[in-house]
Amino acid sequence: LGGFLSRVFGGVPPPPPVAAAAANTPTHIGDIGTMVKPRKAPIKIEPKVFFANERTFLAWMHLSVTLAGASIAIMAFAEDQNPISQLYGVLLLPVAIAFIVYSMYQYSRRAYMIRNRHPGPYEDTVGPAILGIMLMISIVAQFALKLYSVAGAGI
C-alpha cells in the first residue's frame, strides 16, 4: 500500500514491466506496433490545467459533503423509538464516502498524469455511472424502508 500511495502522491514512476511480457510487446511510445506518434516539441502545461483539475475535485467534494451532511441530518432528526428511521441516514452515508474516495482518487490520478505529461485519456466514464447507480439504489432502498414502516404501522 505504501508503494501505491508514494507513486500516486509522490510522483514516482511505476516499476518497469516484467521482462517476459515486455519481450513480445512494445513498451515505449512510438515503438513499432503502437498507435501513438512521438512528440517532437516539449509539452507546455499551463496552470489552468491544474486549476481545472482542482475545480473538478472541489465540485465532487461539494457533492460528497452535501450527501454526508444530508445523511447525518437524517440520522440526527430521526425518531429514537423507530430504528428503521435511523437506517435512512445509514444507507446514504456509504454512498457519500464512496463519492469522497472516488473524487480523491481521480484528482490524484489526473494530477500525476498532468505532472508527468501523460497523453491521456483523462476522462472516466465508468466511475460516475457506478456512483449514480449506488445513489439510485440507496434512494430506492430508503423508499422501500419508508413503505415498509408505513405498512407496518397500519396506516
Side-chain angles (χ1 to χ4, degrees), residues 112-137:
Y112 175 80
M113 291 172 70
I114 292 168
R115 270 195 316 270
N116 293 317
R117 295 177 167 91
H118 194 273
Y122 287 86
E123 71 272 358
D124 180 23
T125 56
V126 177
I130 291 173
L131 290 173
I133 289 170
M134 283 178 60
L135 183 61
M136 184 181 63
I137 289 172

Side-chain angles (χ1 to χ4, degrees), residues 86-107:
Q86 292 282 332
L87 283 176
Y88 298 146
V90 172
L91 285 173
L92 195 56
L93 194 58
V95 176
I97 292 171
F99 271 72
I100 290 171
V101 169
Y102 172 77
S103 64
M104 290 175 58
Y105 169 74
Q106 281 292 45
Y107 173 74

Side-chain angles (χ1 to χ4, degrees), residues 44-116:
K44 180 183 177 188
I45 300 175
E46 297 180 7
K48 68 179 181 179
V49 176
F50 291 103
F51 295 144
N53 187 29
E54 186 174 346
R55 190 172 50 247
T56 304
F57 171 68
L58 290 175
W60 278 100
M61 288 302 289
H62 177 79
L63 181 62
S64 304
V65 169
T66 303
L67 285 173
S71 171
I72 292 171
I74 289 170
M75 289 190 315
F77 292 117
E79 299 172 4
D80 293 333
Q81 297 85 8
N82 190 0
I84 292 179
S85 62
Q86 292 282 332
L87 283 176
Y88 298 146
V90 172
L91 285 173
L92 195 56
L93 194 58
V95 176
I97 292 171
F99 271 72
I100 290 171
V101 169
Y102 172 77
S103 64
M104 290 175 58
Y105 169 74
Q106 281 292 45
Y107 173 74
S108 61
R109 182 180 74 91
R110 287 178 181 146
Y112 175 80
M113 291 172 70
I114 292 168
R115 270 195 316 270
N116 293 317

Side-chain angles (χ1 to χ4, degrees), residues 14-40:
V18 179
N24 297 332
T25 60
T27 57
H28 297 354
I29 295 174
D31 283 351
I32 296 174
T34 62
M35 298 295 290
V36 179
K37 284 180 69 174
R39 279 187 64 96
K40 303 290 186 216

